[in-house]
Structure formats: structure tokens, C-alpha cells
Amino acid sequence: MEMILNENDLVVGAQFENGTIQDYIDERKTYGLVRIEEDTANWFLFNKQESDDELQELYKKILKEEHFIQDDFGEEIVVFNKQGSRNFDEFIKKIDAYLNDEMGSIF
């Protein structure tokens, strides 16, 4: 996975063999996009105690729609707005790999 950096050398996404992942695609910087070939899904990290009000509202809205949540010890990876035939697990695997690579580069 090759990290994508912004003009300040901060990680804002990554490219991998058959797709990309971005941290934020909306103006409010609340959710990102993961693309695997032609399939896409939006995603964000959520923590019930620490997420701001805007993210809390988005989370409540997502719960009423098609979504998938993977709970990693209180921090949730929320995937929604899936387009295409891939299942949510494939998107989660790419997001997990990205987050693990990003954390690895910090240490």
C-alpha cells in the first residue's frame, strides 16, 4: 500500500493494487471513500464517547440505512453507501490494512 500525502506531508489516503482509500471526501471532513476496482463505499471511524456532535449525528443517520460496523474495542469502523457487488468485508479488510499501515508509519 502506497500512502498519499498532502502538501504538508500528512497521510490523506493510500493507493493499493486495485483501488484507493481516502480519509475525507466531504467538506466537513467527516467521512472518506474506499474504492476497489469499480466498487465504492464511504467510511469513518467512530467512538461513542469521543466523536464530535457532527459525527454523532451522521452515525445515527447511518444506522437507519444499509451499513456495516466493525467494533475494534470501542472504536468502530463504519462503512455505508456501498455501491457495487463487493461485500462489506472486502471494504473492511482494505480499511484495516490502511489503518494498520498508517499506524505503523507513525512508529
Side-chain angles (χ1 to χ4, degrees):
M1 199 170 277
E2 182 181 328
M3 295 298 163
I4 299 170
L5 306 176
N6 68 8
E7 62 276 355
N8 299 318
D9 291 332
L10 298 172
V11 175
V12 294
Q15 290 180 298
F16 45 90
E17 183 179 326
N18 58 346
T20 59
I21 187 167
Q22 296 170 267
D23 288 343
Y24 303 113
I25 61 164
D26 65 319
E27 289 180 17
R28 296 178 177 179
K29 295 189 175 190
T30 51
Y31 61 88
L33 176 76
V34 59
R35 180 185 58 78
I36 304 171
E37 293 175 350
E38 300 301 316
D39 299 345
T40 62
N42 294 116
W43 71 282
F44 62 91
L45 296 176
F46 180 78
N47 182 300
K48 192 163 190 81
Q49 282 75 38
E50 296 178 13
S51 294
D52 63 24
D53 292 341
E54 206 167 293
L55 211 50
Q56 297 277 351
E57 288 301 315
L58 177 60
Y59 185 81
K60 288 178 192 174
K61 179 183 177 231
I62 298 305
L63 292 179
K64 298 174 186 173
E65 303 170 1
E66 182 185 18
H67 66 281
F68 182 84
I69 298 173
Q70 176 175 299
D71 190 340
D72 288 340
F73 308 104
E75 181 147 78
E76 298 176 353
I77 300 172
V78 181
V79 181
F80 66 104
N81 196 26
K82 183 176 74 72
Q83 304 292 315
S85 60
R86 293 185 193 279
N87 62 38
F88 282 107
D89 287 337
E90 292 181 66
F91 290 106
I92 287 290
K93 286 178 187 174
K94 291 297 182 185
I95 295 166
D96 268 340
Y98 169 65
L99 295 173
N100 289 335
D101 278 359
E102 188 176 8
M103 290 304 291
S105 69
I106 291 172
F107 300 113

